[in-house]
Amino acid sequence: MADSAQTADRSIPPCPITGAPALRCVERLDAAFLTLLWHYSGRVDVGPLLRPAGTFRLWESPTGLIFFDPPVAGDAAFYRAFYGRIAAHDKLAGPETERLEFRQAAAHVPSGARVLDVGCGHGGFRAYVPDATYTGLDPNFSAEDPTGAILDETVEAHAARVGPVYDVACAFQVIEHVADPLGFATALAACVKPGGVVLIGTPLWPSPNTTIPNFVINAPPHHLTWWTPTALEALATTLGCTPEAVHAIGMDRHDSLIHWMAKVSPVRCRDRFFRRTWSWAAALAFAYGVGAVLDRVLPVPKRTRPNALLLAARKAA
């Protein structure tokens, strides 16, 4: 059940997008429990990051955005350890992976456009926009790019250095990881020319992803915000942009394991998402074990429930 009582030890936090007070506390999470979940589920030690916070609270803002307070983000060591263990970027860059999100985003990129891709990994999106002049930003993968198109630079530093020179600036599955989503999006939009396009892709809430019990990738220090179409539109408006579309994106090979885990999980989350009980631990283990087998032997269905969103917003001319 939602934690509706407003506690004296912590005031109601503002929405990270609009600054309006949060509507309700969805649930409270002990940092020691999250650390334990990460140890067994992700095989990484997040104690030094999470334990100083003591307690995390999951809040809902008036936009429908779900956000953690405090927003403790993962550091480079965390992402190297966790993504290296699950080979995340290898799967994203593999030739068998067609990204529906990238295909939808490419429809907003005119021929000959100058494109900035923030948090680009190995630069997989550039294959979808072959007629564009492509620049990527990713400190973890810039050294691995033989073309020199991926730079070791933050979007804030890049915006300050080059200014609004791009026709399109995009960030796929990045904003949910940052402690200051509005600051990140502001820097992204600052790289776009007047009249240009901002594209932001993020996991959807609610979705199959959020029905899996104790699914720790949805918690700090990994995902700090869960997004709705209304929240993305509010973000665009706060940036001074006009939201032109919020596309619902179905699941592809990139997130097919989540599809099968959500299908077979004996527990489906609705109003609570993390519980320190053996039944939920067993449900997660069952969902992962059976889901991984199905993921290896079965193709992704052609029609799946949406699991992600893509905002397309136009910067004021």
Side-chain angles (χ1 to χ4, degrees), residues 150-289:
I150 299 178
L151 308 179
D152 180 2
E153 197 170 25
T154 67
V155 65
E156 292 83 2
H158 194 69
R161 181 171 66 86
V162 305
V165 299
Y166 294 95
D167 302 292
V168 179
C170 50
F172 303 107
Q173 309 301 313
V174 176
I175 197 170
E176 67 274 11
H177 297 270
V178 302
D180 179 12
L182 179 58
F184 172 83
T186 299
L188 186 70
C191 295
V192 178
K193 299 174 183 176
V197 175
V198 176
L199 299 172
I200 297 176
T202 184
L204 166 66
W205 145 257
S207 68
N209 180 60
T210 58
T211 64
I212 301 170
N214 285 350
F215 201 33
V216 76
I217 69 167
N218 289 328
H222 193 249
H223 286 179
L224 309 182
T225 47
W226 305 354
W227 292 79
T228 65
T230 303
L232 284 175
E233 290 172 347
L235 175 64
T237 302
T238 304
L239 294 175
C241 298
T242 301
E244 294 190 337
V246 178
H247 302 285
I249 308 295
M251 288 182 275
D252 50 34
R253 194 61 190 164
H254 154 245
D255 50 8
S256 57
L257 176 59
I258 293 174
H259 166 79
W260 295 115
M261 287 179 67
K263 279 283 189 183
V264 303
S265 175
V267 172
R268 305 285 175 86
C269 298
R270 289 182 177 85
D271 58 357
R272 285 287 300 274
F273 306 93
F274 303 94
R275 287 182 185 271
R276 195 168 187 166
T277 65
W278 285 111
S279 60
W280 277 44
L284 176 62
F286 178 86
Y288 178 77

Side-chain angles (χ1 to χ4, degrees), residues 29 34-35 38 46 50 56 58 68-74 78 216-224 274:
L29 293 168
L34 279 183
T35 299
W38 274 108
V46 298
L50 300 188
F56 291 87
L58 190 62
F68 284 92
D69 177 53
V72 178
F78 164 76
V216 76
I217 69 167
N218 289 328
H222 193 249
H223 286 179
L224 309 182
F274 303 94

